[in-house]
Amino acid sequence: MRDHDLPALERRSRGKSRFDDDEPRFLKRGRPTEPPADPDSAPDPDTGERWSSWDDAVHGPQPHPDWLVTELAAKDTELGVLKTGKEADVHLVRRAVPDSDRSCLLAVKRYRDPEHRLFHRDAGYLEGRRVRRSRENRAMAGRTAFGRQMIAGQWAAAEFDALARLWEISAGHDRIAVPYPVQVRGTELMLEFVGDAESGEAAPRLAQLRPGAAELRDLWSQLVEALRVLARAGYAHGDLSPYNLLVHRGRLVVIDLPQVVDVVANPQGPEFLARDVRVVGTWFAARGLPAEQVDPGMLTAELLREAGIR
């Protein structure tokens, strides 16, 4: 079979030895990577603390969780790096009110600046997304410096919006576990930290686990339900793999949604959805889930019906 006979998404992924292209790291307790410069919030040279950015950010859905610190007197302290990637780094930050017991851990995702990001696949994902001003659309299409900055903002905004909607959906009869989207400011996204709050250890990715037969069936069931919820909301994850699914206290948590795809508005939407199903289905089948329970074709067809695509 020649390369041009393959679907576009298959050609792009050929030759990759991993399910995704980021570089997971354990939390580094040494000198943390500095966050983007903020002239209005310089860190304390002695403690590394800076004032909370809550006041000038777009906030997540209400009601805010009880654990979330929203006081303007709070300060943010960099604790280290949770994960590095080609497009963004994820940092661990403690937000706390001085001289009180009010504190919480946050996962802070910072997209790289236009000169250092590698959004090599952005054209396909951005189809169906538009901004109101024609100048900005032209800049993004031409990949000017301003356009690249606009695209970075779109990735952060798209992930924030998708998480906010899914969080609100999960409060109803549909169930999907996602991190609570705390706030977004430009290309910086603050999220609920999923892991052990005492140690600061993040929940493991699905790819790190070797579940037994019963746990494997349960995780697959949770994943299928999460995919149904995404489809009913009109979404395909767009880059789903065992590397962007966390398992926390037996619960499967969907993460890394900057490339979320509108299944209807994006002409490649069904193809992205089919690839999501194929990738995760392959992982579960390789770990022993019976073939009759993992039928990518049947599941994709079901999800397209859920999304209203016949």
Side-chain angles (χ1 to χ4, degrees):
M1 179 180 288
R2 296 185 301 271
D3 233 19
H4 60 73
D5 294 324
L6 295 170
L9 292 179
E10 287 288 353
R11 292 200 303 271
R12 288 176 202 160
S13 60
R14 177 178 267 194
K16 291 178 66 176
S17 60
R18 293 172 56 91
F19 283 103
D20 67 353
D21 58 3
D22 63 4
E23 301 166 13
R25 293 184 183 176
F26 294 106
L27 175 64
K28 295 193 173 182
R29 293 292 184 180
R31 182 175 179 270
T33 304
E34 286 297 322
D38 183 347
D40 298 321
S41 181
D44 185 296
D46 297 322
T47 66
E49 297 175 338
R50 62 180 66 229
W51 290 108
S52 163
S53 56
W54 175 261
D55 191 35
D56 62 349
V58 176
H59 302 153
Q62 295 190 21
H64 303 310
D66 292 339
W67 55 261
L68 180 60
V69 174
T70 61
E71 290 88 335
L72 299 184
K75 291 188 175 182
D76 293 345
T77 304
E78 299 280 325
L79 299 180
V81 180
L82 288 171
K83 186 186 77 169
T84 64
K86 294 179 180 178
E87 290 137 1
D89 296 330
V90 181
H91 300 249
L92 184 65
V93 169
R94 177 182 290 111
R95 175 167 289 177
V97 179
D99 303 319
S100 80
D101 60 358
R102 288 279 293 155
S103 71
C104 64
L105 289 180
L106 302 174
V108 182
K109 192 170 188 176
R110 296 179 179 129
Y111 288 95
R112 296 184 183 278
D113 64 65
E115 298 304 318
H116 297 94
R117 284 183 294 104
L118 293 175
F119 281 117
H120 52 286
R121 300 161 297 178
D122 61 4
Y125 291 115
L126 291 174
E127 285 192 70
R129 296 188 199 171
R130 293 291 182 268
V131 296
R132 294 180 180 178
R133 299 175 184 174
S134 59
R135 171 177 173 264
E136 294 171 351
N137 277 319
R138 289 196 301 271
M140 287 190 292
R143 299 302 190 269
T144 65
F146 171 67
R148 292 196 302 271
Q149 189 66 40
M150 284 292 301
I151 290 172
Q154 278 213 4
W155 289 107
E159 182 165 22
F160 179 80
D161 290 345
L163 287 171
R165 186 176 179 196
L166 292 171
W167 179 269
E168 291 174 328
I169 286 173
S170 69
H173 65 279
D174 282 332
R175 288 290 180 266
I176 182 169
V178 294
Y180 176 76
V182 173
Q183 65 179 61
V184 64
R185 297 171 72 235
T187 59
E188 180 184 82
L189 179 63
M190 286 192 169
L191 305 168
E192 173 187 4
F193 170 71
V194 181
D196 188 323
E198 294 297 323
S199 67
E201 183 177 353
R205 299 182 186 201
L206 178 61
Q208 297 174 257
L209 303 181
R210 294 295 179 266
E215 185 182 7
L216 192 70
R217 288 193 301 271
D218 178 60
L219 290 171
W220 174 252
S221 177
Q222 291 186 50
L223 178 57
V224 170
E225 181 56 30
L227 288 169
R228 288 182 180 132
V229 174
L230 281 165
R232 285 194 288 268
Y235 293 137
H237 184 284
D239 198 24
L240 191 61
S241 83
Y243 288 92
N244 46 39
L245 293 165
L246 303 181
V247 180
H248 184 51
R249 298 173 181 170
R251 186 78 167 120
L252 198 71
V253 183
V254 181
I255 62 168
D256 288 341
L257 287 152
Q259 70 295 310
V260 65
V261 173
D262 186 318
V263 180
V264 177
N266 189 317
Q268 298 183 69
E271 193 177 348
F272 278 111
L273 189 151
R275 189 183 67 178
D276 283 349
V277 172
R278 186 168 58 252
V279 170
V280 292
T282 297
W283 187 89
F284 275 89
R287 266 113 194 119
L289 196 67
E292 60 270 19
Q293 295 185 38
V294 184
D295 187 328
M298 288 185 62
L299 181 54
T300 298
E302 176 193 340
L303 295 175
L304 290 174
R305 288 193 298 270
E306 293 278 7
I309 300 174
R310 304 299 179 186

